[in-house]
């Protein structure tokens, strides 16, 4: 038996025969006699590549959700990039190169340029350029682009897998995959998690494994080649138990999110577009706690109009049938860029011109979105949430623009609805003035991804800093607890919509803090519901909150209950409740 270690993308067990994906090198001729003919070949290949990418987008959206399918829209945009196209056509027309040589050379040059950049997000684009260039080269040369069809389920082993290759694999036959290269934060890894495929990366592999029986053990981050009968039996039992547990989770649909001692919490879902709503409903979420509206902008070649946005928001509100839908206003910038915004290059984009800062500076963009949200609110229970807030003045400005839009729409005779107003708590600054902020809004939603980044002064896009990145850092948990307490002092409900909300090791802690809501990826709803329903906060079994972990003098009174806290009308800074 051979054992090889790696990094696990998804905890789970996969058992089956290995299909080694050995990518064939395309035969590429360098020079061509007829540039016009080569240019025609290139144009035809680009058109076919675009069709293939659209099909991949549709497949990924169905299997993993619109948000995670967005990579293929980015690939389609890259195909039409002026600089990329010009570099290829120049090699064909001026240098007399074949279409495949021009595409391959241009792809390599662009990939090297991206890879040499300091920004980690831009570095990651190198893989995307290689993917689309490789696709066109394969079309032009007729090279094999994937594994042969198989009559039986298989485990893919490969040097690496591009997002397009991952989606093309027959999910009904794919048991899991193992690669030597890759990153836990790559698009391929994200797609694998959302497609619920056990996978390992960073594993030393061998072509000799092809056709041999293997087990991917996602719990122990390894793959066993030619496992013993005993190990095979043991891990197959574990696999069956996993499937049974998933089936049991389905029985929790329709059940309340209530602890054994009667504490209730709302479980909502995060989405990126209309196509994600099906997963929200299928997993029995109580509402949508985060509609990432920026994906509407990222999927568009120009600024989406008010009517285009209204149609999307209206459809989501109607599909949710009266359940809460919280729409986060435009959160573009930093690692989320759209060319038509013409945002300036910044040394520290995470600290730069982004989110609410753009909206408060460019009212035309902001008002189009707010008007669309107000109109959609006539068709469901819609809330609006402003991101990256750091001061009361920003909230007041946003609310003033909201009121301006409301009056305009009424004057125009447009039908609108009432919206609940909330903000994202994503910076230590927002936490420190949370009492004042809570007087201006009806809810807080804590964005733990950015809150962790800004609290620890660590760029979450930089993999070199992974050893220092600790989302469970006491400072982060203490800031979350402070936010909950401040919100409740002013009758402002508080939720979490960042990655920490789905962390099962923190569910009890969040319940004890008094959080009112957790919003997670749709697939995490039922597993969190199970944890909540098995938790007993009254028996003293739950983990202490950060504040309770601190050593207190003997005379310190018992902590007040959440209900007592909610009833208080004062602020720590002496300002009365409005």
């Amino acid at each position: 038996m051979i054992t090889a270690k790696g990094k696990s993308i998804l905890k789970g067990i996969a058992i089956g025969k290995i299909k080694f994906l050995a990518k064939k090198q395309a035969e590429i001729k360098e020079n061509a006699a007829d540039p016009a003919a080569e240019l025609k070949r290139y144009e035809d290949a680009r058109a076919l590549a675009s069709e293939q990418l659209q099909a991949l987008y549709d497949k990924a959206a169905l299997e993993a959700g619109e948000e995670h399918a967005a990579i293929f829209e980015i690939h389609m945009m890259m195909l039409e990039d002026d600089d990329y196209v010009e570099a290829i056509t120049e090699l064909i027309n001026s240098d007399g190169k074949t279409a495949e040589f021009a595409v391959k050379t241009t792809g390599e040059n662009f990939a090297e340029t991206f890879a040499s950049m300091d920004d980690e997000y831009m570095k990651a684009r190198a893989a995307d350029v290689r993917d689309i260039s490789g696709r066109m080269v394969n079309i032009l040369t007729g090279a094999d682009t994937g594994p042969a069809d198989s009559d039986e389920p298989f485990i893919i082993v490969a040097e690496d897998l591009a997002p397009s290759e991952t989606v093309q694999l027959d999910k009904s036959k794919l048991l899991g995959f193992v690669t030597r290269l890759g990153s836990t934060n790559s698009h391929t890894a994200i797609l694998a998690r959302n497609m619920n495929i056990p996978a390992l990366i960073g594993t030393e592999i061998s072509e000799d494994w092809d056709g041999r029986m293997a087990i991917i053990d996602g719990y122990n981050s390894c793959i066993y080649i030619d496992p013993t009968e005993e190990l095979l039996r043991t891990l197959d039992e574990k696999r069956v138990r996993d499937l049974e547990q998933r089936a049991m989770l389905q029985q929790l649909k329709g059940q309340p999110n209530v602890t054994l001692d009667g504490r209730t919490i709302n479980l909502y879902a995060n989405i990126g577009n209309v196509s994600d709503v099906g997963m929200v409903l299928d997993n029995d979420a109580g509402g949508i706690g985060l509609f990432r509206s920026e994906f509407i902008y990222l999927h568009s070649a120009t600024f989406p109009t008010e009517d285009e946005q209204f149609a999307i928001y209206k459809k989501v509100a109607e599909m949710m049938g009266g359940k809460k839908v919280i729409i986060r206003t435009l959160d573009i910038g930093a690692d989320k860029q759209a060319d038509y915004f013409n945002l300036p290059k910044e040394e520290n984009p995470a600290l730069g011109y982004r989110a609410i800062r753009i909206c408060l500076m460019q009212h035309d963009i902001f008002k189009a979105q707010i008007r669309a949200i107000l109109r959609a609110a006539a068709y469901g229970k819609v809330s609006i949430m402003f991101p990256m807030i750091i001061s009361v003045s920003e909230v007041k400005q946003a609310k003033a623009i909201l009121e301006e839009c409301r009056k305009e729409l009424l004057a125009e005779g447009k039908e609108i609805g009432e919206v609940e107003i909330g903000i994202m708590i994503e910076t230590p600054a927002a936490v420190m003035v949370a009492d004042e902020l809570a007087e201006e809004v009806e809810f807080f939603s804590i964005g733990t991804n950015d809150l962790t980044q800004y609290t620890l002064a660590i760029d979450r896009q930089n993999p070199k800093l992974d050893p220092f990145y600790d989302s469970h850092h006491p400072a982060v948990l203490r800031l979350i607890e402070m936010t909950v307490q401040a919100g409740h002092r002013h009758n402002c409900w508080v939720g979490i919509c960042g990655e920490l909300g789905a962390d099962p090791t923190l569910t009890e802690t969040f319940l004890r803090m008094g959080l009112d809501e957790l919003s997670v990826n749709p697939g995490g709803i039922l597993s969190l519901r199970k944890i909540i329903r098995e938790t007993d906060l009254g028996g003293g079994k739950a983990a202490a909150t950060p504040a309770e972990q601190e050593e207190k003098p003997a005379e310190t009174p018992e902590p007040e209950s959440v209900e007592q806290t909610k009833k208080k009308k004062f602020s720590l800074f002496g300002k009365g409740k409005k």
Side-chain angles (χ1 to χ4, degrees), residues 426-441:
E426 302 173 88
T427 66
V431 177
M432 299 313 293
V433 295
D435 279 281
E436 286 92 338
L437 291 171
E439 294 181 348
E440 297 292 335
V441 298

Side-chain angles (χ1 to χ4, degrees), residues 534-574:
E534 293 174 350
T535 298
D536 185 353
L537 301 178
K541 297 178 181 178
T545 66
E548 293 168 338
Q549 291 170 359
E550 295 180 359
E551 187 175 345
K552 295 182 173 70
E555 67 271 19
T556 301
E558 288 294 317
E560 62 189 4
S561 68
V562 171
E563 291 305 315
Q564 288 173 320
T565 302
K566 283 184 176 180
K567 290 177 182 177
K568 286 192 174 180
K569 302 294 183 182
F570 65 87
S571 162
L572 285 177
F573 300 96

